[in-house]
Amino acid sequence: MTMKRVIHLCLLMAAGGLWSCSGSQQTTAPKGSVSIIPMPASVSETADSFLLDKQTVIVATNDNDKKTAALFNAWLKELTGYELAVKDQGDKNVIILETGKDTANAEGYTLTAGHDNITIKGNSGAGTFYGVQTLIQLLPVEKAKAMYVPGVNITDAPRFAYRGLHLDVGRHFFSVDFIKKYIDLMAMHKLNTFHWHLTEDQGWRIEIKKYPRLQEVASKRKETMAGRYADNKYDGKPYGGYYTQEQVKEVVKYAADHFITVIPEIEMPGHSLAALTAYPNLGCTGGPYEVGTRWGVYDDVYCAGNDSVYLFLQDVLDEVMELFPSKYIHIGGDESPKVRWEKCPKCQLRMKQEGLKDEHALQSYFIQRMEKYLNSKGRQIIGWDEILEGGLAPNATVMSWRGIEGGIAAAKQKHDVIMTPGEFCYFDHYQSRGANEPLAIGGFLPVSKVYSYEPVPTELSADEAKYIKGAQANLWSEYIGNNDYMEYMVYPRACALSEVLWSPKDKRNYDNFVDRLKVHVKRLDLKKVNYAKHVFEVTGKVTDNGKGGVDVVLNSKLSGGKIFFTTDSTAPTPSATPYTAPVSVTRTGTLRAQVFQDGKPFGNEYSQAFVYHKGLGKKVTMASIADASHRPESNFALVNGVEGNAAYNDSEWFGFKGTDMEAIVELDSIQDIHGVGINTINVKGDWIYPPKQVVFSVSDDGKTYKEIFKQNTFAQQGINKVRGKLQSVRGRFVKVQLQNFGKIPAGAAGAGNGAWLFADEFIIE
Ligand code: ACM
Ligand code: ZN
């Protein structure tokens, strides 16, 4: 500690009227104030601390560091109202930015904060930038008279090179200002790739000068779906928007200043209805077409037999490459039906001429032809995992979205992979089961599940694992129609993803993450982010108590929160039962719980209806395994007393794609059985059909079964509660068999595919 510094500290303290100053007394930041997301690779705290004040100087000697200094100043100004001088030298009360040239580990940095100075040494401009992002998170989160930075030694570098966030601007358009904020927040979380999904069936959003009808026609739609897909209702309001090339340049530059690469996506051959509407000659039938107004997948795609299509796309990509310096161009490739190609003479001729055995091979031809073009211009392609079908283009990177299988297959073929499996990375899914949740596309992806994601599949060898370049969360915007809702869907799930992608695997700890998140959300408050608050609400976990019964474990991560609950359906208040231990389910009814802070309720309450029955918590064996995308954590979900909900987003339903279901529950002894039941669901718009037939049977020994109840007619919509009342039936093993509906009929959504069969809660009375 130098004298100069002591004096300056004392003056500040006196001015603040907080403490008196006695000699060379050491001052420190409050303990436990290091709360960084994503968690750095290595942090050690020291007893020292740095006092940042108006006299502190940033030392930056090159343009990059000066730019980074300016971004730091922008944050500081928002927080304190003042900025720091940026100079070429200084050694006391300084923040020193230095940038080296370690290309092998370019995004890494070291940060040391001591009494006299803070030094950030980046391995490259990006590393220095990330060091500054860390410094921002070492500052107090609220405006303080004394801005102490705790003494630390940090050595940091990312685990994965590709750390992405996607945004679908096709279904809904988002302004340039919003996208800049999106980029600010990405940078704050050390995410480095923005995947801009620019073209869709429902709208083309990038100006292409050679094709003005993309602006005039393809960027607009007549109306938009209102509410749930299955309701098939429309709002009657014209909708549109696109980015001019000047705006695109502005975004790309803004992103580059934040060390974020923008990867544009131009979808082909599917998701192209808007473009076909503008240029109908590019489709197999020649149209007329109409820019999409409903969500989902459309049969009309670019004609693969028509050379004008390739020329059009090359022209488009020429303009796109002028705007985007990224090494990668995303060319889609997902969800491209083959029905038009099957009937199109041009497509069939192309298949014959090129010796392609089926339409999947034709899609592969399409993608490879575009890849060749982009490679000739020095660019690489990324495509969704459908590009594996019919043969992978030689240099393609695969984005694995339909689970992890595409990623595994591509890595085994020595192709680079970005993981975006729906189960962990689709932020358009629900993040809470709360009844007040705004309408979302489906699924259930709470923050904790994002946090639990491991991008490297265990199926890969260490050599193959090197092809997993990272992961990305996708924000499909069918149901996400405005800025506030978008931010609500992205944060804090993106905070969790950032840690998955940046921090060492062995440093990850969810409870510790949530503790840091409590501090971190104040930074989001400062940026006026409409983040979701579910992580701090009361949660309930329905558990197998191991004694043939069901317990509910309640929890809340809210600072100073106290949980109270009721089991008589009344609203929980601070005079209800305080929660001290797991609550056992002993009768049919609803458990309601709420966390309170200073006597006031916080967030949604937990409310769960339970059906009490003989099968509760008993052993379940399944003859068939549910599809991974709709498979609860364990078979226990079938007998946990919780009936799957109508939105099927509660991890209760067992979903079977085109296959049957069979389950057996084993009771403790042979006993009287008065009734059996199971629920199924019917949402044909989502390809979920009722079973053809449900059969229950019983057995004393688990070998010989006798049929006791059968049903083969079901309600036309929503949840079907199949219930059989029984007399004089005894048994120990109860079996249920549900026969899948089979192929989805022509004319219906998903026609020709195997129907989904959903079942939950096997009730035995
Ligand atoms: C996708 O979700 N269709 C890539
Ligand atoms: Zn065709």
Side-chain angles (χ1 to χ4, degrees):
M1 182 186 287
T2 64
M3 272 325 281
K4 178 172 156 257
R5 187 88 170 123
V6 170
I7 289 162
H8 133 131
L9 268 176
C10 291
L11 286 176
L12 185 121
M13 287 168 173
L18 290 175
W19 305 286
S20 60
C21 196
S22 62
S24 62
Q25 180 192 328
Q26 187 80 30
T27 52
T28 56
K31 273 276 160 272
S33 52
V34 175
S35 187
I36 302 162
I37 292 178
M39 176 66 107
S42 156
V43 185
S44 63
E45 288 188 58
T46 67
D48 237 339
S49 81
F50 179 89
L51 177 64
L52 188 148
D53 60 23
K54 286 180 184 168
Q55 280 71 45
T56 304
V57 165
I58 302 178
V59 177
T61 53
N62 66 53
D63 286 350
N64 250 322
D65 292 348
K66 283 179 184 160
K67 233 192 275 180
T68 298
L71 292 169
F72 177 78
N73 264 332
W75 180 278
L76 192 66
K77 190 159 185 187
E78 269 183 74
L79 189 63
T80 64
Y82 62 82
E83 293 186 0
L84 305 181
V86 180
K87 297 188 177 164
D88 285 339
Q89 54 188 329
D91 62 348
K92 295 286 178 327
N93 194 15
V94 290
I95 299 170
I96 302 165
L97 305 186
E98 285 176 16
T99 295
K101 283 202 178 77
D102 174 359
T103 47
N105 193 13
E107 294 179 306
Y109 67 92
T110 58
L111 185 157
T112 56
H115 183 266
D116 293 336
N117 61 53
I118 294 173
T119 305
I120 293 171
K121 289 185 182 164
N123 295 343
S124 71
T128 310
F129 178 79
Y130 291 134
V132 165
Q133 293 304 318
T134 295
L135 174 58
I136 285 172
Q137 296 198 21
L138 288 168
L139 295 176
V141 286
E142 278 140 348
K143 186 173 174 163
K145 285 217 169 67
M147 300 279 288
Y148 285 108
V149 172
V152 283
N153 293 306
I154 293 177
T155 305
D156 201 7
R159 180 175 168 210
F160 290 101
Y162 185 110
R163 305 179 303 278
L165 214 53
H166 149 288
L167 184 67
D168 166 15
V169 295
R171 275 58 175 261
H172 283 101
F173 182 74
F174 292 86
S175 70
V176 168
D177 281 348
F178 178 80
I179 289 176
K180 285 183 175 171
K181 187 176 175 192
Y182 204 74
I183 286 167
D184 287 342
L185 294 170
M186 285 180 68
M188 179 177 167
H189 295 88
K190 302 188 173 83
L191 298 171
N192 66 357
T193 311
F194 172 46
H195 172 173
W196 204 359
H197 184 81
L198 286 162
T199 70
E200 256 309 334
D201 294 310
Q202 296 86 359
W204 181 285
R205 306 278 175 233
I206 176 170
E207 179 187 26
I208 300 296
K209 298 202 193 256
K210 188 158 185 184
Y211 295 101
R213 285 177 61 80
L214 291 173
Q215 288 75 260
E216 289 155 18
V217 176
S219 76
K220 299 169 187 160
R221 61 177 178 254
K222 185 176 76 186
E223 56 186 356
T224 301
M225 269 203 134
R228 289 175 60 89
Y229 183 92
D231 297 340
N232 201 30
K233 293 216 171 72
Y234 297 83
D235 66 2
K237 291 184 211 148
Y239 187 92
Y242 67 90
Y243 306 99
T244 65
Q245 294 202 351
E246 285 311 305
Q247 288 175 317
V248 170
K249 283 183 207 159
E250 190 183 331
V251 166
V252 169
K253 179 176 186 315
Y254 190 84
D257 287 345
H258 292 76
F259 294 91
I260 287 172
T261 301
V262 187
I263 296 182
E265 180 179 359
I266 304 296
E267 276 265 25
M268 60 191 80
H271 289 287
S272 48
L273 184 57
L276 297 186
T277 308
Y279 297 99
N281 64 308
L282 304 178
C284 291
T285 65
Y289 303 107
E290 185 189 38
V291 178
T293 58
R294 71 163 171 81
W295 313 132
V297 173
Y298 288 85
D299 286 342
D300 286 298
V301 306
Y302 292 119
C303 175
N306 181 350
D307 281 331
S308 335
V309 165
Y310 301 98
L311 296 175
F312 165 81
L313 289 170
Q314 287 173 13
D315 289 340
V316 166
L317 291 171
D318 283 345
E319 293 193 30
V320 166
M321 284 185 281
E322 275 294 309
L323 296 167
F324 294 91
S326 63
K327 175 175 158 195
Y328 294 99
I329 306 285
H330 200 306
I331 60 171
D334 60 320
E335 299 180 320
S336 191
K338 309 293 185 282
V339 291
R340 295 289 182 261
W341 291 0
E342 283 162 11
K343 296 209 167 65
C344 170
K346 284 191 217 132
C347 286
Q348 292 301 312
L349 179 63
R350 177 63 46 100
M351 283 166 62
K352 212 163 140 199
Q353 285 169 338
E354 299 290 336
L356 305 169
K357 77 173 195 310
D358 59 15
E359 285 73 18
H360 290 296
L362 182 58
Q363 159 137 347
S364 174
Y365 164 87
F366 193 120
I367 298 290
Q368 295 203 31
R369 190 163 160 174
M370 296 314 300
E371 177 183 65
K372 215 178 253 170
Y373 185 73
L374 287 166
N375 286 173
S376 78
K377 306 282 175 185
R379 306 300 180 101
Q380 300 285 318
I381 66 161
I382 298 182
W384 300 108
D385 58 44
E386 285 92 333
I387 66 169
L388 282 152
E389 295 164 3
L392 199 47
N395 306 309
T397 295
V398 172
M399 228 170 224
S400 186
W401 71 280
R402 296 174 303 174
I404 61 172
E405 292 74 15
I408 294 169
K412 285 187 185 288
Q413 293 177 42
K414 302 193 188 315
H415 281 252
D416 284 348
V417 172
I418 313 300
M419 299 302 280
T420 67
E423 198 188 343
F424 294 97
C425 295
Y426 270 43
F427 288 5
D428 54 341
H429 290 186
Y430 284 100
Q431 54 194 317
S432 157
R433 293 169 181 148
N436 304 329
E437 221 37 50
L439 182 63
I441 202 160
F444 178 54
L445 179 55
V447 176
S448 56
K449 186 158 181 186
V450 176
Y451 197 82
S452 74
Y453 181 50
E454 171 46 45
V456 179
T458 51
E459 289 84 347
L460 297 181
S461 69
D463 259 359
E464 291 163 345
K466 294 191 186 120
Y467 292 98
I468 307 292
K469 294 300 165 194
Q472 165 178 298
N474 294 336
L475 276 302
W476 301 104
S477 61
E478 287 95 333
Y479 295 95
I480 311 177
N482 62 61
N483 298 352
D484 277 353
Y485 189 15
M486 184 56 81
E487 288 181 358
Y488 176 85
M489 295 305 259
V490 182
Y491 290 95
R493 289 190 286 194
C495 306
L497 182 74
S498 77
E499 201 143 310
V500 168
L501 291 170
W502 181 280
S503 308
K505 192 175 169 185
D506 63 4
K507 279 272 167 86
R508 260 197 276 157
N509 175 308
Y510 183 68
D511 285 335
N512 178 275
F513 167 74
V514 176
D515 284 342
R516 280 177 286 124
L517 194 60
K518 284 179 201 165
V519 178
H520 190 72
V521 291
K522 294 181 191 164
R523 298 178 191 125
L524 298 179
D525 284 331
L526 188 70
K527 297 297 286 179
K528 299 192 170 52
V529 179
N530 183 45
Y531 58 88
K533 299 187 171 68
H534 308 98
V535 259
F536 308 120
E537 289 175 349
V538 62
T539 58
K541 188 159 172 60
V542 182
T543 59
D544 183 348
N545 70 9
K547 295 175 279 186
V550 171
D551 281 359
V552 184
V553 178
L554 300 173
N555 193 9
S556 166
K557 304 268 186 192
L558 185 68
S559 305
K562 289 197 176 69
I563 300 170
F564 296 89
F565 72 94
T566 66
T567 54
D568 60 1
S569 299
T570 60
T573 65
S575 43
T577 316
Y579 176 76
T580 52
V583 185
S584 287
V585 176
T586 53
R587 58 189 169 78
T588 293
T590 299
L591 171 65
R592 295 177 67 178
Q594 176 75 59
V595 62
F596 293 83
Q597 192 178 42
D598 302 325
K600 288 202 238 25
F602 177 93
N604 287 309
E605 72 168 53
Y606 170 81
S607 173
Q608 183 61 62
F610 289 91
V611 190
Y612 184 75
H613 61 89
K614 282 191 173 127
L616 226 56
K618 300 297 181 287
K619 185 179 165 198
V620 180
T621 344
M622 290 233 196
S624 42
I625 296 182
D627 188 89
S629 62
H630 292 283
R631 188 193 305 153
E633 247 172 55
S634 73
N635 290 352
F636 168 67
L638 197 62
V639 289
N640 63 358
V642 178
E643 295 174 277
N645 68 8
Y648 62 94
N649 63 358
D650 53 1
S651 303
E652 283 293 325
W653 294 100
F654 291 78
F656 299 84
K657 197 168 183 223
T659 56
D660 300 337
M661 167 175 170
E662 179 183 310
I664 296 168
V665 170
E666 182 181 344
L667 302 175
D668 296 337
S669 57
I670 297 175
Q671 45 193 278
D672 289 335
I673 296 170
H674 307 293
V676 284
I678 193 146
N679 297 353
T680 74
I681 189 164
N682 182 353
V683 189
K684 294 202 173 101
D686 295 351
W687 308 16
I688 307 168
Y689 279 64
K692 266 211 174 109
Q693 165 170 287
V694 177
V695 178
F696 291 91
S697 40
V698 291
S699 165
D700 287 347
D701 57 6
K703 293 189 183 99
T704 327
Y705 282 86
K706 165 177 87 193
E707 185 176 312
I708 49 170
F709 182 75
K710 178 152 115 183
Q711 184 170 319
N712 48 29
T713 54
F714 303 93
Q716 282 312 298
Q717 206 157 330
I719 293 178
N720 276 291
K721 295 199 174 198
V722 177
R723 298 288 183 271
K725 289 276 164 233
L726 307 169
Q727 272 175 349
S728 320
V729 170
R730 283 175 66 76
R732 177 166 179 196
F733 296 85
V734 188
K735 175 153 69 177
V736 66
Q737 292 163 298
L738 295 95
Q739 190 185 349
N740 192 292
F741 179 87
K743 240 188 193 175
I744 298 176
N753 287 282
W756 281 95
L757 165 70
F758 272 43
D760 179 43
E761 202 59 16
F762 186 176
I763 296 171
I764 303 165
E765 284 169 324

